[in-house]
Amino acid sequence: MSTSADPLAALAGLPGVAESVESMRKAVDRVYGHRVMRRRSTEVSAEATLRGARGSAALSGADWALEEVRRRTDFGAEAEARVVGATLRLTAEAGQLLSIWRQSPLRVLARLHLVAAGTAVAGEVVGRPRLAGEPVDEPLVELPLPDADEVAGRLDGLSRLIIAGGSAPALVTAAVVHGELLALRPFGSYNGVVARTAERIVLINSGLDPKAVCPAEVGHAELGRAAYLAALDGYVSGTPEGMAAWIAHCGRAVELGARESMAVCEALQRGAA
């Protein structure tokens, strides 16, 4: 990441990033301009939340059909059900944490992990970053794991950037928050779903998607786990090309989430949903 006074804004100047930001904004604007949003935005938001939770769970290995997610009420049994339950709880919780995010992002992240974990299993530590020697259960991200001291330092740096604010587009900030949390895996479990929820919080809190109708999680799932992890490799590399590719990937995910909600708007307009 750049060492300039506003490193996030510096990332916005990387080749192709401005185009990704503009393309994403147009997709978001199309959803907000749909006539259904003027009178039924709450329904669109609820459906986007459900579909976002399903998409995030799919990336963490619980690729359930939407209707299965919709009908199930028991999420405490097998491992996949716990993941789906975690994503549903997180998307519901995200809206309650918006006002805290800019003042205390680390507090929000700890809360997200606590909510994701639900009832902790024996020996599991929840609601705080891991300490030296504590294990991490995140099998779908196989990057080298930073040690606890590096995690603490980088989380502090990320927190300072968020609190300071700046002129970076929402997409850039959201992508960096998402990528940094996946790279660090600061918690003992559920790092992927927490990272994607943090991305959601940034996009909503920035004013880009205030009604939460453009779920990036849907797009990340649609683009596929292989593309997701390949783009994350670019972020972790720290090269300008890799960072730009990760930001573009996140922008495309938001576009696809917006497209999903456009389809929901069209279905509502036809009276089919």
Side-chain angles (χ1 to χ4, degrees):
M1 206 178 295
S2 169
T3 57
S4 70
D6 190 349
L8 296 181
L11 291 176
L14 293 175
V17 169
E19 291 81 358
S20 295
V21 169
E22 182 62 21
S23 180
M24 181 206 64
R25 282 178 175 160
K26 287 179 179 178
V28 173
D29 287 346
R30 281 193 290 273
V31 177
Y32 278 86
H34 198 286
R35 61 187 300 178
V36 164
M37 287 293 294
R38 293 197 293 270
R39 49 195 172 83
R40 303 180 71 177
S41 63
T42 302
E43 294 172 70
V44 180
S45 178
E47 187 64 20
T49 295
L50 183 71
R51 295 183 185 209
R54 193 218 74 83
S56 188
L59 284 169
S60 286
D63 193 2
W64 289 13
L66 181 62
E67 291 310 312
E68 177 70 3
V69 178
R70 199 189 302 279
R71 74 169 186 84
R72 281 284 288 267
T73 57
D74 176 18
F75 298 101
E78 70 275 11
E80 286 193 7
R82 285 174 58 85
V83 171
V84 175
T87 62
L88 289 169
R89 291 192 298 272
L90 285 173
T91 52
E93 184 75 9
Q96 310 303 313
L97 299 172
L98 298 177
S99 63
I100 305 172
W101 175 254
R102 286 296 296 272
Q103 286 73 45
S104 186
L106 297 185
R107 178 182 163 195
V108 169
L109 292 174
R111 174 63 184 170
L112 291 176
H113 185 247
L114 188 66
V115 169
T119 303
V121 299
E124 183 180 12
V125 177
V126 301
R128 66 156 173 79
R130 56 188 167 85
L131 302 177
E134 291 181 341
V136 175
D137 179 17
E138 199 70 44
L140 299 175
V141 179
E142 298 179 349
L143 295 166
L145 191 67
D147 64 31
D149 287 340
E150 181 179 352
V151 168
R154 287 172 63 175
L155 281 178
D156 182 66
L158 183 64
S159 176
R160 290 174 183 273
L161 283 176
I162 294 165
I163 292 169
S167 59
L171 171 62
V172 173
T173 303
V176 168
V177 167
H178 185 170
E180 194 71 354
L181 292 175
L182 279 180
L184 294 177
R185 282 144 291 159
F187 301 108
S189 58
Y190 295 107
N191 289 285
V193 296
V194 167
R196 291 184 288 276
T197 305
E199 178 186 48
R200 166 184 281 265
I201 287 173
V202 174
L203 294 172
I204 296 169
N205 217 24
S206 66
L208 175 75
D209 183 21
K211 296 184 178 180
V213 294
C214 300
E217 305 97 320
V218 168
H220 286 304
E222 184 172 337
L223 291 166
R225 194 179 304 155
Y228 183 68
L229 295 177
L232 178 63
D233 283 343
Y235 177 85
V236 172
S237 75
T239 65
E241 297 81 9
M243 297 291 286
W246 170 249
I247 294 168
H249 185 88
C250 290
R252 182 60 181 152
V254 177
E255 288 185 48
L256 291 171
R259 186 181 71 180
E260 185 91 351
S261 285
M262 278 291 289
V264 171
C265 287
E266 292 293 326
L268 287 170
Q269 185 167 276
R270 294 191 305 268

